[in-house]
Amino acid sequence: MNLLALLGALAALLIAVTGLAVAHRLRPALPEGEPVPEPHSVLLTIGSGLLSGFVLLTGFLVATGWAARTTNILPPLGLYVADGCAAVAVLLYPALAGLPFTARHVTAVAFFGALVGYTLTAAFQLRP
């Protein structure tokens, strides 16, 4: 069992759920009887673009980190920083997009955050 990757998953889970809770707390209260506004449709494309960038960077770091064990050619540190920034953006996106703080959404964000954190930490660990 990879304990460091599990800790990374827990940290990412906490970042995502805390971001959702803080955004919910700072969001102004709706007047009585008014429906919850839907996020703008443009926000859907931003989320998928962020996730695509994170997946692309992480996949590249996994492949090059594994290959670096035999070639001794390491990816630049800037790619690790970029992947970390992409992960934080992906984790905070649900809160910034206005996802409501309900048990269903918190559960989904928590599982998604754990997956992002585990993957990111495992990719970082492959660097020799």
Side-chain angles (χ1 to χ4, degrees):
M1 201 71 164
N2 189 346
L3 185 60
L4 190 59
L6 290 176
L7 290 174
L10 180 63
L13 181 151
L14 290 174
I15 289 170
V17 172
T18 302
L20 197 61
V22 168
H24 176 73
R25 178 86 169 116
L26 296 177
R27 200 172 296 133
L30 292 174
E32 188 109 6
E34 187 174 321
V36 178
E38 293 292 320
H40 194 275
S41 60
V42 172
L43 289 174
L44 298 174
T45 59
I46 293 172
S48 61
L50 284 173
L51 187 57
S52 297
F54 170 72
V55 168
L56 180 70
L57 282 169
T58 305
F60 179 75
L61 292 179
V62 167
T64 56
W66 188 262
R69 297 181 183 280
T70 57
T71 63
N72 292 325
I73 300 172
L74 299 174
L77 286 176
L79 286 178
Y80 289 93
V81 172
D83 197 25
C85 291
V88 171
V90 164
L91 291 172
L92 294 180
Y93 175 77
L96 297 175
L99 198 66
F101 191 75
T102 62
R104 183 180 77 169
H105 291 107
V106 168
T107 303
V109 166
F111 280 117
F112 179 71
L115 177 64
V116 168
Y118 189 91
T119 307
L120 181 69
T121 306
F124 281 15
Q125 285 180 314
L126 284 174
R127 184 179 175 90

